[in-house]
Amino acid sequence: MSGWTFERPPALPLPQPSEESAPFWEALKERRLVVQRCAACGAISHPPRAKCGSCGAMEFVWQESEGRGEVHSYVITHQAVHPALRGYTPFATVEVALDEGVHITSNLIDTPPEQVAIGQRVQVEFLDVGEGVVLPVFRRRRGK
Amino acid sequence: MSFSNAVAVAGVGETDYSRDSGRTELALSLQAIGAALDDAGIAAAEVDGLMKWFVDTSSEAEVAVNLGIPDLAWFGEINQAGNVGAPLVAHAAAAIHAGLANTIVIYRGVNGRSGRRYGRGDVTGQGGRGAGAFTEPFGLLTPQHGLAMSARRRMFETGVTSRQFGQQAVIQRKHANRNPRATFHDRPLTLEDHQESRLIVDPFHLFDCCLESDGGGALVLTRPELARERRLDRPLALIRAAAQSGPGQSSPVRRTAARLFAMGGVERSDIDVVQIYDHFGPFVLFALEDYGFVEDAGHFVEDGGTMWDSGKLPVNTSGGHLSEVYLQGMNHLIEGVRQARGESTSQVPNAQLSFVDTGIGTGAVILERSEA
Ligand SMILES: [Zn+2]
């Protein structure tokens, strides 16, 4: 694994929180990954929504995720199809299926693009990108 | 509920296709509309409805003024990306069927290569706002990024291969080589070319990706009796069925398919020729399975099943987005109409029912040949 470190392209957009999603981004600053849990039926949602998809309730609590999951799919950008990726290809983006049952888009910070694989177990980490923004990223997890 | 064949696509038209049109998007739109009206034998003053792609810049108001439409009874857009072709046809047909308008033109004109480029996220980027907050900061920046994510998962689940994607790209190129309008009319493609082409966004190779194009296209929808008054002495393409599945739905293809085939009262096996929205070629294979046309699209394509002359179910007979032009479904609708009228450059003999998907499930239509 030596010799490879994740470099985040500085021109990638930063998240612009909405009213619904602000608590998610706030929690990350405290190094907590949270997901929305319906106060009525307990269904978990991500990304945050205004109304529960299972029962229609509009009250939610924010539940801390264990931050564990597996790589559900991935893409590797080889050609800088967007100017923000210029000079940073190949660049891998992963879709992680969290054990709580929701999917989250992210990056692996310890895995070179050619080693990314579906089914890989992963664990959340927190990446401070400045300007008061912390992003949820993942690293490989040994065992389950 | 059905349209009972009460609405026809009476005319189709397009501009030349290029990488740099040298014209405004409005000029492209008007040129395509003129060609479609000529094709239908209908005068601009008879048009009482206009509909356009939401992402296009030429408004209904500008087009109405330039065409000299005296009384615009129906207009509208569908706020989605490029995948609105068949939904626009459904809306227009419903309006005509309900008596809200008689003759509706659906149009577009884009400088999609020389101007705002879809593939670069110029049109779709959200600057980290909305749903983009959860994808763009991690490098999912363009439509193809999200599509590559789902394609990779599908390969994992079904075992379909890049080589099989390549077979479809080769077949579509053969169709384009027969179509003088096609951007790649003069350029053959082999499976080796496909496999050796560079990766753009893995798993998509260069030749899995649609073109970027400048051009315009238009459709004229009207009542069959109004179309027949023109005595153009050629078949009409009637709208046998149309269906949509709203944005954000899971399994949109299966939902659209269920509604579409129920409305049309036909089976998959009754369909003679198919056009499928190929922003990325692999999705043609996925859609063939999800619409219920075939069980294993990878092997079907490998065996040449989608070739215009020798295949069991010819698919994307003009070359599609991969090899004809990227007009986001408009060219698929035009080709679907031509097949129903017997006018394709890769004509399927005796085609009666012509199927067109314009967005991997967002919408599809079945067109039916009706003799003059
Ligand atoms: Zn609930």
Side-chain angles (χ1 to χ4, degrees):
Chain A
M1 285 310 306
S2 63
W4 191 87
T5 49
F6 176 74
E7 246 191 297
R8 185 174 186 276
L12 283 176
L14 292 178
Q16 308 295 317
S18 65
E19 248 172 78
E20 271 97 29
S21 72
F24 173 84
W25 300 109
E26 285 301 314
L28 286 166
K29 293 182 191 173
E30 302 160 4
R31 304 177 76 79
R32 293 188 302 122
L33 176 66
V34 297
V35 290
Q36 251 187 339
R37 184 169 186 278
C38 174
C41 79
I44 304 287
S45 304
H46 181 83
R49 46 192 296 158
K51 200 166 160 59
C52 175
S54 298
C55 78
M58 295 180 76
E59 297 290 324
F60 295 92
V61 294
W62 292 92
Q63 171 180 310
E64 185 157 353
S65 164
E66 298 285 330
R68 293 177 196 161
E70 68 175 47
V71 175
H72 179 79
S73 191
Y74 64 91
V75 303
I76 300 168
T77 304
H78 286 267
Q79 180 169 312
V81 290
H82 187 281
L85 293 172
R86 227 168 262 155
Y88 289 86
T89 56
F91 184 83
T93 304
V94 295
E95 180 179 329
V96 171
L98 291 175
D99 291 349
E100 287 86 357
V102 293
H103 291 202
I104 182 170
T105 301
S106 187
N107 303 115
L108 299 185
I109 56 166
D110 67 344
T111 309
E114 68 275 13
Q115 289 179 25
V116 177
I118 291 176
Q120 171 69 51
R121 292 290 298 167
V122 293
Q123 171 74 47
V124 75
E125 289 279 336
F126 301 92
L127 184 69
D128 190 333
V129 295
E131 299 182 46
V133 178
V134 175
L135 297 177
V137 292
F138 288 81
R139 68 168 61 251
R140 288 195 249 201
R141 187 183 163 80
R142 311 274 165 231
K144 63 183 178 70
Chain B
M1 180 62 198
S2 90
F3 293 126
S4 313
N5 285 348
V7 182
V9 184
V12 295
E14 72 275 292
T15 66
D16 52 309
Y17 302 142
S18 72
R19 293 164 60 85
D20 188 359
S21 71
R23 279 158 283 172
T24 65
E25 295 188 330
L26 179 60
L28 290 168
S29 301
L30 293 170
Q31 185 184 338
I33 293 169
L37 288 170
D38 284 350
D39 185 50
I42 289 175
E46 297 175 81
V47 173
D48 62 356
L50 289 171
M51 299 192 80
K52 69 180 263 288
W53 263 244
F54 178 79
V55 294
D56 276 29
T57 56
S58 306
S59 71
E60 297 93 320
E62 280 178 295
V63 168
V65 165
N66 280 281
L67 288 179
I69 293 176
D71 187 5
L72 192 65
W74 178 261
F75 61 94
E77 305 169 8
I78 296 169
N79 184 351
Q80 266 290 290
N83 52 0
V84 294
L88 285 168
V89 170
H91 280 63
I96 291 170
H97 191 47
L100 294 167
N102 286 312
T103 301
I104 299 175
V105 171
I106 300 171
Y107 66 91
R108 65 177 332 208
V110 288
N111 286 321
R113 178 63 180 78
S114 67
R116 294 185 309 156
R117 294 173 64 177
Y118 228 83
R120 215 171 49 184
D122 291 0
V123 180
T124 53
Q126 300 172 77
R129 282 177 290 277
F134 294 93
T135 54
E136 292 175 346
F138 307 96
L140 293 193
L141 297 155
T142 66
Q144 70 174 304
H145 281 118
L147 293 163
M149 193 73 90
S150 79
R152 170 58 66 193
R153 181 69 196 182
R154 183 110 175 193
M155 293 171 80
F156 176 81
E157 286 174 355
T158 70
V160 66
T161 65
S162 174
R163 262 186 97 77
Q164 291 170 329
F165 300 155
Q167 302 275 8
Q168 179 61 20
V170 167
I171 286 171
Q172 290 189 209
R173 182 63 65 84
K174 286 181 179 162
H175 296 159
N177 293 153
R178 301 174 48 80
N179 172 7
R181 296 183 189 89
T183 303
F184 282 146
H185 173 59
D186 296 325
R187 286 181 51 188
L189 180 78
T190 66
L191 186 56
E192 290 64 40
D193 293 336
H194 173 278
Q195 287 292 284
E196 288 161 16
S197 69
R198 64 184 186 275
L199 284 162
I200 305 297
V201 174
D202 187 358
F204 299 147
H205 284 264
L206 175 65
F207 293 121
D208 291 318
C209 302
C210 62
L211 293 155
E212 291 183 291
S213 309
D214 288 7
L219 313 168
V220 180
L221 273 64
T222 191
R223 302 180 189 285
E225 58 272 23
L226 291 179
R228 290 211 166 87
E229 282 171 10
R230 318 292 151 158
R231 300 187 182 286
L232 293 180
D233 194 28
R234 56 126 203 272
L236 270 180
L238 302 181
I239 299 172
R240 173 84 179 229
Q244 314 176 55
S245 181
Q249 301 290 298
S250 62
S251 308
V253 172
R254 293 176 205 280
R255 293 169 197 273
T256 291
R259 283 190 273 272
L260 185 76
F261 287 100
M263 184 197 250
V266 297
E267 302 298 327
R268 274 68 166 176
S269 55
D270 297 327
I271 300 293
D272 297 301
V273 55
V274 166
Q275 315 300 323
I276 291 176
Y277 195 90
D278 49 339
H279 38 17
F280 297 93
F283 282 81
V284 173
L285 282 74
F286 307 159
L288 282 173
E289 292 176 358
D290 294 347
Y291 273 114
F293 287 116
V294 299
E295 273 178 25
D296 179 350
H299 286 103
F300 185 74
V301 167
E302 219 164 53
D303 295 340
T306 57
M307 272 293 289
W308 75 281
D309 53 349
S310 54
K312 270 193 205 149
L313 188 66
V315 177
N316 288 351
T317 46
S318 68
H321 288 153
L322 298 185
S323 286
E324 184 192 30
V325 66
Y326 183 48
L327 279 190
Q328 295 180 311
M330 175 59 89
N331 50 310
H332 295 70
L333 288 163
I334 291 172
E335 174 66 8
V337 170
R338 292 209 163 107
Q339 284 286 356
R341 292 188 346 195
E343 298 170 356
S344 171
T345 49
S346 293
Q347 181 62 41
V348 174
N350 305 314
Q352 294 294 317
L353 292 175
S354 170
F355 171 101
V356 185
D357 161 280
T358 65
I360 313 300
T362 21
V365 296
I366 298 172
L367 302 166
E368 179 171 9
R369 177 187 179 95
S370 170
E371 300 305 330

